[in-house]
Amino acid sequence: MNEQLQPLKKPARTGKAGRSGTQDDIVYAHIFEAILEQRLAPGTKLSEEALGEIFGVSRTIIRRALSRLAHESVVLLRPNRGAVVASPTVEEARQVFFSRRMVERAITELAVQHATHEQLNELRQMVREERDSFSRGDRGAGIRLSGEFHLKLAEAAGNAPLVSFQRSLVSQTSLIIAQYESGNRSHCSYDEHMQLIDAIEARDAQQAVNLMMHHMDHIDSKLNLDEDSASDDLHAVFSHLLKKPKAAAKG
Ligand SMILES: [Zn+2]
């Protein structure tokens, strides 16, 4: 597609990355957004040369953006073989979800204490946009806005290290969902996002944390992280087709 060159003139509207506006920030923001929107599949090769052409910048700038994404564990830098979009294993996915729960709990508690009315209104506006995206069938934008909701909430918590940890966790979650989601549902429910904002606005920490944990349970339950359900062992996968000698196997 030809829309790729435009973005450098019109910086990405994605959260923080676009703000300072250096070239590597912008490249970073676009790749990050493509991962959040699940337009870039896990395992995709990220050629410095191709990206340099697409964005009209030097390979040094591409490399800087990629190494920042690698720092957030959404891109893998392989020595002499270039960068790829990470493809988390089941075990890695479990670890990410474990951390995500911890972080979301802390963020929710802090947001109850610190979120301003203005921030809560912005969050509500995001949820409306999220709902509208899904209802007009723009799943990519909906998924990205779902992720951005969680990033915005982290900002409302007012703890900078949590924001950067959350950034990495949200994009890794997006990758995991792209890889493991069963069915074609969205991973976040905007109704749940709205309820969460209400509880935060009511400064009801217990209720807000309960809702957030419930929300995490839902995301979890939509994923197929059952190790036994998928395999890369062809013999195991097709074992039902293999002839079993009547008594021989169990001896
Ligand atoms: Zn959510």
Side-chain angles (χ1 to χ4, degrees), residues 196-244:
L196 190 63
I197 299 171
D198 291 343
I200 291 170
E201 188 156 51
R203 309 294 167 190
D204 186 342
Q206 193 54 56
Q207 170 74 347
V209 167
N210 287 345
L211 286 168
M212 180 57 96
M213 292 302 106
H214 194 59
H215 187 54
M216 291 294 112
D217 287 342
H218 277 172
I219 297 176
D220 245 338
S221 69
K222 286 172 188 170
L223 296 178
N224 183 13
L225 290 183
D226 182 357
E227 248 155 346
D228 296 325
S229 69
S231 166
D232 57 4
D233 178 345
L234 289 176
H235 284 91
V237 170
F238 298 112
S239 61
H240 60 290
L241 301 177
L242 299 173
K243 274 187 189 165
K244 288 175 208 149

Side-chain angles (χ1 to χ4, degrees), residues 146 149-150 188 193 215 219:
S146 303
F149 169 85
H150 288 269
C188 276
H193 286 173
H215 187 54
I219 297 176

Side-chain angles (χ1 to χ4, degrees), residues 85-124:
V85 178
S87 38
T89 63
V90 167
E91 177 53 25
E92 284 164 345
R94 289 214 174 100
Q95 291 184 10
V96 167
F97 272 83
F98 182 84
S99 297
R100 180 89 193 256
R101 276 176 179 278
M102 301 280 118
V103 165
E104 292 285 8
R105 175 184 289 274
I107 284 171
T108 306
E109 284 169 351
L110 288 171
V112 167
Q113 294 170 37
H114 300 296
T116 64
H117 276 289
E118 200 192 358
Q119 286 170 323
L120 292 167
N121 286 339
E122 280 179 56
L123 282 164
R124 280 214 172 80

